[in-house]
Amino acid sequence: MKRRLPLWGRCQAPEAEGVHAIVKGVSRMRRFLSALLAAALVLSAATPAMARHHAPAAPKADKASAAAAQPAEQAPLLRIGLTSGQPSVTVAAGGRAEARTESAKPVALTATASYEIRWQNGAFLVGREKLRGEILIIRPSDKSDGGLALDGRRYRGALELRHRGAGLTAVNIVPVDDYLLSVVPEEMPTDWPAEALKAQSVAARSFALKSRGRHAAEGYDLCTTTHCQLYKGIASEKTVSTAAVRATRGEVLTYGGQPIEALFHTDSGGMTESSEDVWGSHVPYLRAVRDTPLGTMPWTKTMSKADLEQKLAAKGHAIGRLRAIELSPLAVGRAAKDRTASGRVKAMIVTGTKGSVTLSGTAWRSLLGLKSTLFSAKLTKDSVTFTGFGAGHGLGISQWSAKRLAETGKSYADILHHYYTGVTLQTDSY
């Protein structure tokens, strides 16, 4: 904010007599009034900015603080990859819409009508209309909430079509909170407590903003699967989860001034995990934390020795006939030479008639289809039984534990700070 000079110290009442003094006084009065008006304008411009910020500005601006100064309608946009390699797609608008390229006149799309779109001889064919250009954008031209349908599934925001490789790639360009209206109910049951849903909303928003560009090579930010976050468009939206998204609008978890990769999983089994024990790299806000009770979501999986031998052989580990398994006993929250601080498997050794193989807990989980790496293994004459707790990779929020915390009266902020270490819940982020 610019420094303002004191006004009243610069203005004095005229004391000279006669016309000259009167003219001089009027002139001074005009200057005074002009200065007063200018000051009022400065104050009126400054007041909203001061009202938006609840803490002094940081010495160095970052992306999140810059976004905080934007109006709500300028919430960050995400590019969600919907389909790729399609010879054609079908688009329908819930209300009036417009299709345009960078080098052709726009084409109006009639509400409720369907249009087949394909690429032919360097142009997009939209029904019978030909639009030349590299990128086709379709966006609603009114305020209808009907969205745009791509191959029967409706989405908020706009659609972008590009000809890439052997077919069309379709991308949904959507504000982050409109994206979350579909993500949150896909990732967490909507009959769970409101505070758990709010925690999920903030985590999903933070993850999405941190992950922009994750699929840059394919031409978009995020996919629609569990590789990123589940996203199925307007049909997934629920009133309760929408309320949770709206209640946390603009709230993002940050570390060092940047959104965090706010991972989440189904159930911790009693303790979450540190990043280096899953990924091999240290992430300061993804630290192992205890949950209560211990040993949640117990599970068992039994397979024949022959099945395990075949799975190993298919991955290049031909051990012959399985003879032994080397793994410390499981105790949730207790480390061992082959277990992490949470009790998850660091490494397990199996020995056969043709040799031994050592794989990480994550590799065993993937190879054998286990629910988590918090498991023990028992070898019998013809089979192997794996017994464990929890579900998922164990990083970040444990969703079932978040539900339990919410049921005990914990707020969504409490839940988030429990699972993410040293983070800031930044409000008014856009």
Side-chain angles (χ1 to χ4, degrees), residues 80-84 150 155 159 169-172 220 222-224 231:
I80 314 300
L82 302 180
T83 62
S84 62
L150 179 75
Y155 301 92
L159 294 175
T169 293
V171 176
N172 182 200
Y220 46 87
L222 301 162
C223 67
T224 60
Y231 177 65

Side-chain angles (χ1 to χ4, degrees), residues 55-67:
K60 183 178 180 180
D62 55 29
K63 291 180 180 179
S65 61

Side-chain angles (χ1 to χ4, degrees), residues 78-84 160 162 164 169-171 179 207-208 210-229:
L78 298 175
R79 297 171 54 81
I80 314 300
L82 302 180
T83 62
S84 62
E160 174 190 284
R162 293 175 182 250
R164 295 172 60 93
T169 293
V171 176
Y179 163 75
F207 179 89
K210 174 68 173 178
S211 301
R212 281 181 289 188
R214 196 176 197 190
H215 287 272
E218 294 99 323
Y220 46 87
D221 293 319
L222 301 162
C223 67
T224 60
T225 73
T226 54
H227 176 263
C228 294
Q229 297 185 115

